[in-house]
Amino acid sequence: MLCNHVPSAADSRSPAATGHHHQSLQDGRRASGDGGAVTENERIPAAMIEGTDTASCRAYARSVYDDQPNAHQRFMEKLDTRIRNHDREIEKMCNFHHQGFVDAINELLKVRADAEKLKVQVTDTNRRFQDAGKEVIAKTEETIRCRVQQRNIATVVDKLQLCLPALEMYSKLKEQMSGKRYYSALKTMEQLEHVYLPKVSQYRFCQIMAENLPKLREEIKEISMSGLKDFLESIRKHSDKIGETAMKQAQQQKTFHAALHRQTNVAYKKPVYIINGHSTEGEDGVTPKSQMLEDEDTEEEVNLLVSIGDKEVFENYYRKQRRKQARLVLQPQANMHETVEGYRKYFSQIVGFFVVEDHILHVTQGLVTGSYTTELWTMAQSKIIAALRTHSSYCTDPDLVLELKNLIVVFADTLQGYGFPVNRLFDLLYEVRDKYNETLLKKWAGLFRDIFEADNYSPIPVANEDEYMAVISKFPFQDPEGDKITFPKKLPMSQSVPQIYMQVKEFIYASLKFSESLHRSSTEIDDLLRKSTNLLLTRTLSSCLQNLIKKPHIGLTELVQIIINTTHLEQACKYLEDFITNITNILPETVHTTRLYGLSTFKDARHSAEEEIYTKLNQKIDEFVQLADYDWTMSEPDGRASGYLMDLINFLRSTFQVFTNLPVSFWKWLIIMDGGNGRGHPLM
C-alpha cells in the first residue's frame, strides 16, 4: 500500500535523498510513456496522485467515468502501474537510508544507559534538594503566615483605633444616661453623630448605635419635660428662700460698706452682683449671689431643656409657666399690710423669682433673653408699685411703715445689684415717706394729747440742783434772773413744755430714720426733716393746742399757763433748728434751707388762748352780774357793797394775780380788745 511506504525522517531531512526521489519520479514518467508521449490515461492518475488541487482531482475522477467506454478499466490499469512504480521508488529510498537508521538506533541504545544513570542522579539530586528545601519551605510558610498575621494585626489595630473613640463615646453616653447627666449625654450624642460615627459608618455596630441615638434623644426629651416641670415646681417652692438669702446678702453688703464709709470716709457704692453672668464677691467676703442655686447643676439641668431639638417648645412652656408663677408671686395676701412679715415674704418671693430668672439668663442659651426678663420686670414693677400703694394706705403704725421702707430699699438694692432698673421703686419711696409722715403726725398727735391731758398746768417745782439739771437736760431753758433764786424754786413753764420739746426731737429722729438709706444727699435730708417738722408744728401741735384751748374744763389758770408754755416753746424753736443742723451737718446760711414755722404756730396758739381768756373772763363777769340779787325798793344805801359784787371783786383780784405772770404783750392786747368792744374793764 501507498501509506506503508512513508519516507523516514532521516530521508526527508536529506537533500540528496530528496533530489534522488524527484529524479526517480521523472524516470518513471519517462518510462511510462511510449517515446515520451504521455496519454490522457497516464496523466490523470499522475495528477490525482501527485496533485494537490482537490477540485482538479474531482474533475479528473468525473472524466474517467464520463468519457469513452473502458476508460475506467484503462484508468485502473494505469493507476496500478503508477502505484507499483512508486512502491519501487520507496523501496529504493528505504534501502538507501536503512543503514543510517540502524546506526541512529544503535546510538540511541548506547545513550539509553547514560540516560538511565542521569535519571537516577537527577532523581537523587531532586530528592536531596527536596529534603533540604522542606525546612526552608516550612520556615518560608511560617514567615509568610507571620507576615499575614502581622499585616492583619496592623489592619485590626488601625480599625480599632478608628472605632475606639466611637465606642468610648458611646460607653460614656451610657454612663451619663445611667448617671442622669442628660445635658452632658446630649453633648456626647452630638459628637457621636457628627464626628465619630461618620468615620466608622461601614460597621454594623455603628449602624446599631446610630439607630439607638434617636430613641435615646426621645427618652431624654421625655425626661427633660418631666425635669422642667419638677424644676419649675422646685423654684416656685424655694423662691422665697432664695429671695430671703439674696436680700440678706445685699443687706450685709450694704452694712459692710456703711461701716467702711464711717471708718475710711469712702463713698458707698451700690453693689453689682452679676457681671457677665458671674457673681462678684464683696470685700467683706460675702458672696452676693444666692447660693441656693448651684451653678453647675442648674446650668446642666436647664441647658438640657434647650439642647434636644425642641427649643421653642421648651421655651414657650417655660415662659408660660413662669408668667403664671409671676402672677401668683405678685399677688399679695389680703392682710399683708398688718405685719412686716407679710411684706417681707412678699418681697422675698419676688426677689427669688427674678434672681432665678437672672441666673437662668446667664447660665443658659436661649431659654430666656434679656428683653424677656426686662419685659417681665417692667410688668412686675407696675404691679408691685400698685400693690404697695394699696396696702401701705392701710398702715397706721409708723414703725410698720418704716419697716416697709427699709424692706423696699433692700428689695430695690438687691434687684438693682442683679441689673434690674428700680428707679420707680425709689420714686415710690417718696409716696411712702408721705404716708410715714402722716402716721407719725397721727402718732404724735396722740402723744401730744396725752401730754396735755397729764399736765397739771402749774409751774415746775425744783427742790435742788439735780432736779433743775434734769429739767434743763430736756429743755433749753435760760433765765438769768431766775438762776439767782435759791432752791427750792419754780420754773415758769409746766411739765408739758420739756415733754413737748423732747417729743418734737423724737419726731425729728423718727423722720431721719426714714431718710436713711435712700441714697439722698445731706441737703435733701435736711430739707425733708425741716418740712416734716414744720408739718408737726403747724398742723399737729397747733391743732392739739387749739383743741386744748377750746376744751370746757380748761379754766383761766390753765389758759394763762398755756400762754406761758407757748412763749417758752416759741423761744426754743431756734434750738430745734440747731438740732436739725447738727444731725444733718448742713449750715442754714450755706444753702437755701427751709425755716421752721414754730414761731407763728405758738403765736397763733397764744392769741387763741388770750382770746379764750378774754371770752371766759367776760362770761364769768356776766355770770356774777346775772346772779346778783339787788333790792330795787331800798330807800337809801346801807353803806356796804353787795355780797355778789364782793365775790366778783375777789374773783377778779385772784384772777389778775395769776395774770401777773403773763408777758406785757398780753396786757396790751387785753386793753385793745376791751377798748374795741366799747366796754370798760371792771378794774381799769
Side-chain angles (χ1 to χ4, degrees):
M1 292 299 294
L2 179 61
C3 62
N4 293 328
H5 298 81
V6 179
S8 67
D11 293 341
S12 64
R13 287 191 300 268
S14 175
T18 302
H20 179 64
H21 171 69
H22 288 293
Q23 183 64 37
S24 298
L25 290 177
Q26 291 175 1
D27 291 343
R29 290 189 186 100
R30 285 193 298 269
S32 65
D34 294 335
V38 180
T39 65
E40 183 66 19
N41 290 330
E42 293 176 349
R43 186 179 60 80
I44 290 175
M48 291 181 66
I49 294 172
E50 299 175 2
T52 59
D53 189 358
T54 306
S56 300
C57 290
R58 287 196 297 270
Y60 292 149
R62 213 174 16 255
S63 64
V64 171
Y65 292 95
D66 294 341
D67 288 346
Q68 54 191 339
N70 299 322
H72 177 265
Q73 184 63 34
R74 288 193 298 274
F75 171 74
M76 292 303 297
E77 292 175 356
K78 294 296 181 182
L79 180 60
D80 292 336
T81 303
R82 193 70 178 177
I83 290 171
R84 284 191 296 273
N85 291 334
H86 277 288
D87 287 338
R88 284 192 297 272
E89 290 179 0
I90 291 171
E91 185 178 356
K92 290 179 181 180
M93 185 177 295
C94 288
N95 291 333
F96 179 79
H97 292 288
H98 177 70
Q99 187 60 41
F101 175 75
V102 173
D103 294 338
I105 292 300
N106 291 331
E107 290 292 332
L108 286 175
L109 290 175
K110 292 178 181 179
V111 174
R112 180 177 181 179
D114 296 333
E116 289 293 337
K117 294 179 180 179
L118 180 61
K119 180 179 179 181
V120 172
Q121 292 177 355
V122 169
T123 301
D124 183 62
T125 302
N126 180 64
R127 179 183 57 77
R128 287 186 285 107
F129 183 77
Q130 291 295 333
D131 293 340
K134 285 181 180 179
E135 184 177 357
V136 176
I137 291 173
K139 296 295 184 180
T140 302
E141 290 177 351
E142 184 179 358
T143 301
I144 292 173
R145 185 168 58 254
C146 291
R147 292 286 178 86
V148 172
Q149 291 177 351
Q150 183 180 10
R151 184 177 66 251
N152 292 340
I153 291 173
T155 303
V156 170
V157 170
D158 292 340
K159 298 302 182 182
L160 286 176
Q161 288 179 345
L162 189 62
C163 295
L164 274 178
L167 294 172
E168 290 174 353
M169 292 299 290
Y170 194 78
S171 176
K172 180 180 178 181
L173 173 62
K174 286 295 186 179
E175 291 178 1
Q176 290 169 342
M177 291 292 292
S178 300
K180 297 182 180 181
R181 292 182 286 119
Y182 300 112
Y183 177 69
S184 301
L186 280 176
K187 293 298 183 182
T188 304
M189 197 178 301
E190 290 180 0
Q191 291 180 331
L192 269 174
E193 286 181 324
H194 298 99
V195 179
Y196 295 100
L197 290 184
K199 297 178 181 179
V200 289
S201 58
Q202 68 272 22
Y203 300 107
R204 180 168 176 75
F205 74 89
C206 294
Q207 297 174 2
I208 296 174
M209 290 183 188
E211 292 173 358
N212 286 336
L213 292 183
K215 298 177 183 178
L216 293 176
R217 183 175 281 106
E218 189 64 25
E219 179 183 351
I220 293 176
K221 179 180 178 181
E222 295 176 359
I223 295 173
S224 300
M225 181 57 74
S226 176
L228 176 59
K229 294 177 181 178
D230 294 342
F231 174 75
L232 289 171
E233 180 64 19
S234 175
I235 60 178
R236 184 190 68 80
K237 291 180 179 179
H238 295 93
S239 287
D240 54 344
K241 295 296 182 183
I242 296 172
E244 182 181 352
T245 303
M247 292 178 68
K248 284 182 179 178
Q249 291 172 343
Q251 183 64 38
Q252 291 173 359
Q253 187 84 354
K254 185 175 180 180
T255 303
F256 170 76
H257 282 286
L260 184 66
H261 172 62
R262 287 193 296 268
Q263 294 179 2
T264 63
N265 200 27
V266 177
Y268 167 71
K269 295 182 180 179
K270 300 174 187 176
V272 177
Y273 306 142
I274 298 297
I275 301 177
N276 297 329
H278 300 283
S279 63
T280 60
E281 184 171 311
E283 297 177 10
D284 55 350
V286 177
T287 303
K289 191 174 180 60
S290 173
Q291 299 301 322
M292 299 287 292
L293 291 171
E294 295 295 336
D295 288 348
E296 295 182 359
D297 295 340
T298 307
E299 179 177 356
E300 178 168 332
E301 182 176 0
V302 179
N303 276 333
L304 169 65
L305 308 177
V306 295
S307 303
I308 58 177
D310 290 335
K311 173 182 176 181
E312 185 175 353
V313 173
F314 284 101
E315 178 182 314
N316 292 337
Y317 180 81
Y318 174 84
R319 295 186 181 184
K320 180 180 178 181
Q321 295 301 316
R322 287 297 277 169
R323 286 184 183 276
K324 290 182 179 179
Q325 292 183 4
R327 285 193 291 270
L328 293 176
V329 168
L330 295 172
Q331 183 64 37
Q333 295 181 352
N335 61 344
M336 180 178 72
H337 59 276
E338 295 179 358
T339 61
V340 68
E341 291 302 323
Y343 287 109
R344 182 175 286 110
K345 182 177 180 181
Y346 179 67
F347 288 130
S348 297
Q349 289 177 342
I350 297 174
V351 170
F353 179 90
F354 283 100
V355 166
V356 171
E357 288 301 298
D358 180 79
H359 183 76
I360 293 176
L361 172 65
H362 288 92
V363 302
T364 63
Q365 298 177 354
L367 188 60
V368 297
T369 61
S371 58
Y372 162 77
T373 54
T374 300
E375 177 187 355
L376 194 61
W377 168 243
T378 302
M379 178 272 294
Q381 193 170 205
S382 299
K383 290 184 177 295
I384 293 168
I385 292 174
L388 292 178
R389 280 175 178 157
T390 301
H391 285 268
S392 64
S393 63
Y394 300 143
C395 293
T396 57
D397 183 6
D399 294 333
L400 179 58
V401 179
L402 183 61
E403 289 290 343
L404 173 60
K405 166 259 174 184
N406 293 331
L407 286 175
I408 293 176
V409 171
V410 176
F411 172 75
D413 286 344
T414 303
L415 289 177
Q416 189 175 38
Y418 285 93
F420 295 98
V422 293
N423 292 335
R424 294 177 62 189
L425 289 175
F426 282 108
D427 293 339
L428 174 67
L429 287 176
Y430 284 105
E431 301 179 27
V432 178
R433 182 199 64 201
D434 295 338
K435 179 62 180 177
Y436 179 68
N437 286 337
E438 289 295 328
T439 57
L440 282 182
L441 292 176
K442 290 180 180 179
K443 179 179 179 180
W444 257 256
L447 294 175
F448 290 153
R449 286 193 297 269
D450 293 341
I451 292 173
F452 290 143
E453 289 292 337
D455 194 9
N456 57 8
Y457 298 98
S458 60
I460 302 174
V462 287
N464 50 47
E465 183 71 21
D466 293 337
E467 292 182 2
Y468 178 76
M469 295 305 298
V471 175
I472 297 302
S473 63
K474 297 178 181 179
F475 182 76
F477 174 72
Q478 293 180 355
D479 185 10
E481 296 295 330
D483 292 342
K484 299 177 182 179
I485 302 175
T486 60
F487 296 101
K489 60 183 177 181
K490 293 184 178 181
L491 302 181
M493 66 278 192
S494 65
Q495 291 287 350
S496 63
V497 172
Q499 293 177 357
I500 292 294
Y501 183 81
M502 290 300 297
Q503 287 300 326
V504 172
K505 292 177 68 175
E506 290 296 327
F507 178 87
I508 295 173
Y509 276 126
S511 298
L512 179 63
K513 288 181 180 179
F514 192 93
S515 300
E516 294 175 345
S517 305
L518 291 183
H519 313 302
R520 300 297 180 184
S521 65
S522 298
T523 303
E524 291 176 306
I525 294 176
D526 182 88
D527 187 62
L528 292 175
L529 290 180
R530 292 176 183 273
K531 287 181 178 179
S532 60
T533 305
N534 277 330
L535 285 176
L536 178 71
L537 296 176
T538 60
R539 195 172 77 179
T540 304
L541 183 56
S542 176
S543 175
C544 290
L545 287 172
Q546 295 294 337
N547 293 333
L548 175 65
I549 292 170
K550 299 297 183 181
K551 286 185 177 183
H553 70 277
I554 298 297
L556 293 174
T557 304
E558 288 83 0
L559 289 173
V560 170
Q561 189 61 54
I562 290 173
I563 293 174
I564 296 172
N565 290 347
T566 55
T567 302
H568 288 284
L569 288 172
E570 179 182 348
Q571 295 171 354
C573 282
K574 63 178 181 178
Y575 297 102
L576 290 176
E577 288 196 352
D578 294 339
F579 175 72
I580 295 175
T581 299
N582 290 333
I583 63 177
T584 60
N585 295 322
I586 298 297
L587 297 178
E589 59 271 13
T590 59
V591 293
H592 299 288
T593 57
T594 303
R595 311 300 299 180
L596 293 183
Y597 303 145
L599 298 177
S600 60
T601 298
F602 296 121
K603 285 181 180 179
D604 293 340
R606 191 162 53 251
H607 290 162
S608 297
E610 292 169 351
E611 290 178 357
E612 190 67 19
I613 289 175
Y614 181 80
T615 302
K616 286 183 179 295
L617 185 60
N618 285 329
Q619 289 177 352
K620 198 66 175 177
I621 294 174
D622 291 339
E623 290 176 2
F624 274 103
V625 172
Q626 291 174 2
L627 291 175
D629 186 13
Y630 297 101
D631 185 6
W632 302 104
T633 61
M634 183 181 295
S635 57
E636 61 182 19
D638 57 3
R640 60 185 180 84
S642 169
Y644 293 101
L645 183 60
M646 294 302 295
D647 292 339
L648 175 61
I649 293 172
N650 292 331
F651 166 75
L652 292 175
R653 183 178 289 111
S654 62
T655 300
F656 280 99
Q657 183 65 35
V658 176
F659 288 171
T660 57
N661 295 323
L662 292 174
V664 178
S665 59
F666 168 76
W667 294 104
K668 293 180 179 179
W669 173 84
L670 188 61
I671 293 172
I672 294 173
M673 291 294 295
D674 183 70
N677 289 331
R679 299 175 57 182
H681 194 278
L683 299 179
M684 296 300 288

